[in-house]
Amino acid sequence: MTPITPAHYLVLSAALFSIGLIGVLVRRNLIVIFMSIELMLNAVNINLVAFSQQWQHVVGQVFALFVVAVAAAEAAIGLGIILAFYRNKETVNVDEITLMRW
Amino acid sequence: MTIAFYTLAAFILALGVLVVSTKNTVHAVLFLVANFLCVAMLYVLLQAEFLAVIQVLVYAGGIVVLYLFVVMLVNLKRGPETHVDPRRRDRMGLLIGGAVLAEFVAILLYGFAPRATGAAPAAAAPGVGNVEQVGWSLYVDYLVPFEVASILLLVAMIGAIVLAKKEP
């Protein structure tokens, strides 16, 4: 078998990102859409860490740490919005969230 | 090494597909935990041990618990995806996702075809652990972004409390 190059990691991360993208575009459950966004952020982190290992430079891992921090903030705010919305409308279906849609 | 990578990659992709395709939201969250743990193992494979621990602590420990709480709080009387907007185009979403993946793979094949791995990487400092390296970089070179990130987390915490608070 060929040794693992960064290209392998990049292909894996691209595939994971695409899975998350399809989830965001296809699913209608708001919570599942948020989980798909987490998948996409994870794909980006795999990219950063793969390059960090390729160049033997630790900055990629530091950036991945910042991505994790932003993901945590995003999850907290997003789930707060989901709860507030559920309290008003009793639904988490994005097809019923049409108040500000053109 | 090679076998470990392919096994982990297969698990990560399969669990990702399950997260996106499962109807039951609780099952989707559990698949998400497994996915995050597999990604953490991939970080260990990439010699990023500190990030692997952070991944387990923050993602698998913190964020997923948050998701489970919300799934339990949002108890739906009717199914979450019963109402379908007639203007919705699910096929289009799949098509766009597939197109993006094809584009990524094309770019990667094009970019990595001539030279296999690029230039030789610089030698790492001997005898310095991963945690120490990350710590030096984080607290010396990236101190200001680090503080900004902490303020961002504080704002997010206050915002989440305000959003989730019941109206008086």
Side-chain angles (χ1 to χ4, degrees), chain A residues 25-79:
Chain A
L25 290 175
V26 171
R27 292 302 299 265
R28 294 188 295 278
N29 187 339
L30 200 47
I31 299 171
V32 177
I33 288 178
F34 263 91
M35 287 195 269
S36 306
I37 293 174
E38 300 290 342
L39 285 183
M40 290 160 84
L41 288 168
N42 256 296
V44 173
N45 270 352
I46 292 175
N47 245 347
L48 287 170
V49 178
F51 279 121
S52 160
Q53 199 243 8
Q54 156 80 358
W55 298 106
Q56 291 292 308
H57 204 292
V58 84
V59 172
Q61 294 175 33
V62 173
F63 266 70
L65 273 179
F66 285 129
V67 172
V68 170
V70 171
E74 173 255 336
I77 292 286
L79 294 174

Side-chain angles (χ1 to χ4, degrees), chain B:
Chain B
M1 192 76 170
T2 313
I3 295 170
F5 170 77
Y6 281 116
T7 315
L8 280 177
F11 267 104
I12 287 171
L13 292 183
L15 288 166
V17 169
L18 281 173
V19 168
V20 169
S21 61
T22 315
K23 287 287 166 214
N24 189 333
T25 317
V26 178
H27 292 176
V29 176
L30 295 177
F31 288 132
L32 194 70
V33 181
N35 188 308
F36 287 159
L37 291 177
C38 286
V39 173
M41 285 190 254
L42 198 72
Y43 290 160
V44 174
L45 210 62
L46 281 165
Q47 296 159 358
E49 293 89 4
F50 180 65
L51 205 58
V53 173
I54 291 295
Q55 171 92 3
V56 173
L57 278 179
V58 175
Y59 269 114
I63 292 179
V64 163
V65 172
L66 214 59
Y67 274 101
L68 276 178
F69 265 117
V70 170
V71 170
M72 282 187 272
L73 285 173
V74 176
N75 95 49
L76 297 165
K77 282 152 200 92
R78 55 214 166 87
E81 307 201 10
T82 43
H83 177 271
V84 181
D85 193 309
R87 283 180 294 172
R88 169 170 274 278
R89 301 274 180 274
D90 275 350
R91 290 273 169 73
M92 199 62 131
L94 273 177
L95 208 68
I96 291 174
V100 168
L101 177 61
E103 199 174 336
F104 278 148
V105 171
I107 290 170
L108 289 173
L109 289 180
Y110 180 75
F112 278 87
R115 57 221 181 290
T117 50
V128 178
N130 175 251
V131 181
E132 194 175 344
Q133 280 179 314
V134 173
W136 271 104
S137 189
L138 197 59
Y139 289 115
V140 176
D141 300 332
Y142 293 93
L143 183 61
V144 177
F146 181 76
E147 295 297 336
V148 172
S150 68
I151 292 173
L152 174 74
L153 283 173
L154 179 68
V155 169
M157 192 172 75
I158 295 171
I161 292 171
V162 170
L163 278 172
K165 205 172 55 150
K166 279 214 167 58
E167 302 284 327

Side-chain angles (χ1 to χ4, degrees), chain A residues 84-102:
Chain A
F85 189 81
Y86 172 74
R87 203 173 294 135
N88 286 325
K89 286 260 196 171
E90 299 242 322
T91 180
V92 288
N93 185 345
V94 288
D95 277 4
E96 294 176 46
I97 305 175
T98 55
L99 191 63
M100 290 179 72
R101 192 161 77 185
W102 178 59

